[in-house]
Amino acid sequence: MKLVMAVVQGKDVEGLMSALRAANYRATQINSSGGFLRENNVTVMTGVDDTQVPDVFRLIHDNCYTRTQYVNPLLPIMEPGEFYMPNPVEVQVGGATVFVLPVVRYERIMPQAAGGARAGAGA
Ligand code: 2BA
């Protein structure tokens, strides 16, 4: 089994999650942000059989798009009276940054409450 972790742009996450659901993959999304742009992105985690990894990559490929963003570089150290005109730098972000990790153990722990009642359901 493998854990596929994909860092995707927020604009693409709904499409990707719908495609994963439609193909019967379980997935979890975690809000994250990139260390470079400091903008919100989303990390999608899905645990799948080894043989399903290429299919998950296909769904990511089909639903995540490359976009151009502009970053303002950090201000340089300036002498009094110096003038600095920031020059935004263009960067290409995504489709997706994907990591594939081996899973040592996968378990869904689903104990039933005593007597079949739902825990915390009240008296
Ligand atoms: P960010 O760190 O905000 O990076 C956004 C985009 O800025 C990157 O797009 C890349 O085009 C550019 N960039 C990042 N670091 C740079 C640097 N030191 N110098 C010049 N340009 C730089 P992507 O490569 O598509 O990455 C999108 C997001 O994926 C990243 O957002 C980050 O959240 C995640 N990511 C990328 N590589 C990663 C890695 N090795 N480990 C963990 N997360 C990663």
Side-chain angles (χ1 to χ4, degrees):
M1 186 180 207
K2 296 285 192 288
L3 179 66
V4 180
M5 290 184 71
V7 184
V8 306
Q9 294 174 69
K11 288 175 184 155
D12 294 329
V13 75
E14 275 313 314
L16 176 59
M17 292 300 275
S18 300
L20 288 169
R21 253 194 317 273
N24 273 325
Y25 294 113
R26 293 173 183 274
T28 299
Q29 67 181 75
I30 301 172
N31 292 334
S32 47
S33 58
F36 188 66
L37 295 181
R38 306 288 168 98
E39 284 193 0
N40 292 342
N41 51 31
V42 179
T43 301
V44 175
M45 298 194 310
T46 179
V48 296
D49 287 340
D50 291 23
T51 54
Q52 295 173 316
V53 171
D55 192 41
V56 171
F57 267 73
R58 180 184 61 79
L59 294 176
I60 295 169
H61 187 275
D62 289 352
N63 287 281
C64 299
Y65 302 96
T66 304
R67 296 185 181 86
T68 301
Q69 301 240 20
Y70 292 89
V71 200
N72 280 316
L74 291 175
L75 281 175
I77 298 166
M78 311 250 307
E79 296 296 328
E82 275 186 329
F83 178 72
Y84 173 70
M85 176 71 85
N87 211 356
V89 177
E90 182 180 304
V91 289
Q92 298 273 310
V93 188
T97 301
V98 189
F99 304 88
V100 180
L101 291 78
V103 174
V104 175
R105 177 171 166 175
Y106 166 72
E107 208 171 316
R108 294 175 70 215
I109 299 175
M110 304 177 75
Q112 299 295 314
R118 286 177 51 204

